[in-house]
Amino acid sequence: MTASRSTAPGDAARDELSPSSPVRVNVLVMALAGAVTVANIYFPQPLLEAIAQGLKVSQDTAGIIASALQIGYALGIFLIVPLADTANVRRLTTVLLVLTSGGLLVAAASPNVVTLIVATLAVSTTTVLPQVITPVAAALAGPERSGHVVGLIGLGLTLGSTFSRSLSGGVSDLSGNWRTAYVVAAVMTAALLPALRRTMPERLGAGRARLPYRKLLATLPGLLTSHREVVFSAFLGATVFAAFSAFWATLTFHLAAPPFHQGPALAGLFSLYGLPAALLSAYAGRLNDRHGPTVVNVWALGCIAASFALFAFLGASMAALIVGSNLLILGTSSSQVANQARLFVLGEDKVARLNTIFMLSSFGGGAIGSLAGAAAYSDHGWTGTVVVGAVFIVLTAGALVVERAMRVRGADSA
């Protein structure tokens, strides 16, 4: 195939992609695949109580499954996602889907909790396809449309993570067995194979030197230090997700305290309350393509700051918490779209590794935010959560100011 030929939705992507010739991207298939595979990280969460009872273990032991999900996903982002820069993407996609489906079936048949934890770790490590799909789709779309495509796929990821909990809980209740949810997830994951084999390209770029795996991973620190945009996007990803995580890590405690006196079920509903914001965040991609990532970052920071202002002054109001959580989701999702889009135009030969750096930084920031939020809430209640969020908001704003000053200085010296 020639580099100038484009693919219509449903057709196979070009085997070799030229950076100068973007193709039409089957966003629907990619967003659906992202939603289904990211759901594998979240659907076990409502099943933990049923798993504890079914395997006759304590709730604390069953809780290790949730930790294994996060640990495995982080490992997969670091160890697997960079391969998309040099490996056969179509083959990599196929292998990941097969391994994930097989792991889910092993989990469904687990005779004990140790087997289930090991299977969970394996599944979460191989179900990193969303973090492969996103940079690949951006490279296929080209710089002019990368923000729009990233936004739509991000919407798929948000919907997948949101509805997976409700779906798995419903399947478990209807069947009377938590194992059924794992079987359903395995079938849905395997069903993606035919569509993705037609959609994903073989490689991102023709004639590119194929780095050995060890050297590929060794390039990650160099990418972080050689591009100012990478450091900037990674920092914003960390601080924004830290503020986001500080809220969600302490929301259950806040709702259990006066004046709400509510259980964890209501906190779980907040992911559904945030659906309007999730849908609106897809528009951030179009804004990025029109106005650039800095404008979207400033707008996103305004949403996050407004959310914490509501939390600070109207934290005892359920309506304010719902509105504020929507603003927080909208700002966080929009910021992620803008920061990923900023990275993906730096060169398609490294988009997967750039996404690895960004996602690991965001995960790290989220972990710090969760720990800081929980510690502050323990000592100072809801006020502590708001203060932690405000600190990360100030850090984000400071980074935006510094970045603008450096751009102005660079323009003056040019």
Side-chain angles (χ1 to χ4, degrees):
M1 282 184 188
T2 62
S4 60
R5 186 176 174 181
S6 63
T7 59
D11 293 338
R14 286 176 309 182
D15 290 350
E16 300 289 348
L17 177 64
S18 168
S20 61
S21 302
V23 301
R24 293 184 64 189
V25 188
N26 196 328
V27 181
L28 178 60
V29 170
M30 290 186 168
L32 177 62
V36 171
T37 50
V38 81
N40 293 329
I41 302 298
Y42 298 100
F43 86 80
Q45 293 176 354
L47 308 177
L48 295 180
E49 177 63 27
I51 289 172
Q53 294 180 8
L55 296 179
K56 296 179 174 55
V57 297
S58 68
Q59 292 178 335
D60 288 344
T61 301
I64 298 175
I65 295 169
S67 298
L69 287 166
Q70 298 300 325
I71 293 170
Y73 199 59
L75 283 174
I77 290 173
F78 176 67
L79 297 175
I80 296 175
V81 172
L83 286 171
D85 280 339
T86 59
N88 184 311
V89 179
R90 192 177 301 163
R91 186 179 302 156
L92 176 64
T93 299
T94 300
V95 171
L96 291 178
L97 289 175
V98 170
L99 290 175
T100 301
S101 301
L104 288 166
L105 291 176
V106 171
S110 296
N112 52 60
V113 72
V114 174
T115 304
L116 180 57
I117 290 172
V118 172
T120 297
L121 188 64
V123 165
S124 56
T125 301
T126 58
T127 195
V128 290
L129 197 56
Q131 304 310 327
V132 173
I133 289 174
T134 303
V136 168
L140 290 171
E144 295 79 11
R145 296 182 60 241
S146 62
H148 176 52
V149 169
V150 170
L152 291 176
I153 293 176
L155 173 61
L157 303 188
T158 301
L159 295 178
S161 61
T162 298
F163 288 108
S164 61
R165 301 177 180 92
S166 301
L167 179 60
S168 66
V171 168
S172 178
D173 287 343
L174 288 174
S175 65
N177 194 324
W178 61 268
R179 300 177 188 272
T180 308
Y182 279 85
V183 175
V184 171
V187 172
M188 292 177 64
T189 301
L192 297 171
L193 274 165
L196 280 184
R197 282 191 62 82
R198 291 173 56 84
T199 302
M200 300 294 277
E202 284 197 358
R203 297 187 186 277
L204 289 177
R208 182 183 306 159
R210 312 301 178 195
L211 288 175
Y213 179 68
R214 185 178 298 180
K215 290 185 178 180
L216 185 70
L217 294 184
T219 62
L220 292 174
L223 290 176
L224 185 62
T225 58
S226 61
H227 296 281
R228 191 182 75 195
E229 297 91 339
V230 179
V231 176
F232 181 52
S233 290
F235 184 81
L236 292 184
T239 54
V240 166
F241 202 58
F244 179 86
S245 299
F247 169 76
W248 290 104
T250 57
L251 178 62
T252 301
F253 305 137
H254 184 52
L255 293 177
F260 302 110
H261 301 288
Q262 297 292 328
L266 182 60
L269 285 176
F270 266 73
S271 60
L272 295 180
Y273 292 152
L275 186 58
L279 294 173
L280 284 173
S281 67
Y283 190 66
R286 289 188 181 274
L287 289 178
N288 181 85
D289 292 338
R290 293 176 184 174
H291 305 291
T294 300
V295 171
V296 177
N297 275 135
V298 171
W299 176 75
L301 180 61
C303 292
I304 297 170
S307 73
F308 273 90
L310 285 173
F311 299 152
F313 296 108
L314 297 171
S317 166
M318 183 64 70
L321 289 177
I322 293 173
V323 173
S325 67
N326 270 271
L327 286 169
L328 182 58
I329 292 170
L330 178 60
T332 303
S333 299
S334 300
S335 177
Q336 178 170 329
V337 168
N339 289 316
Q340 285 181 307
R342 179 190 289 110
L343 296 180
F344 295 158
V345 299
L346 294 179
E348 71 157 36
D349 60 318
K350 47 185 174 282
V351 287
R353 282 170 290 168
L354 292 172
N355 197 42
T356 293
I357 293 171
F358 176 77
M359 293 306 300
L360 288 176
S361 177
S362 296
F363 261 79
I368 292 171
S370 296
L371 291 172
Y377 186 91
S378 177
D379 292 337
H380 305 289
W382 187 242
T383 300
T385 296
V386 172
V387 169
V388 169
V391 168
F392 288 114
I393 289 171
V394 170
L395 289 174
T396 305
L400 288 168
V401 170
V402 170
E403 192 272 343
R404 176 174 172 78
M406 293 179 69
R407 283 193 293 111
V408 170
R409 187 180 308 156
D412 290 342
S413 60

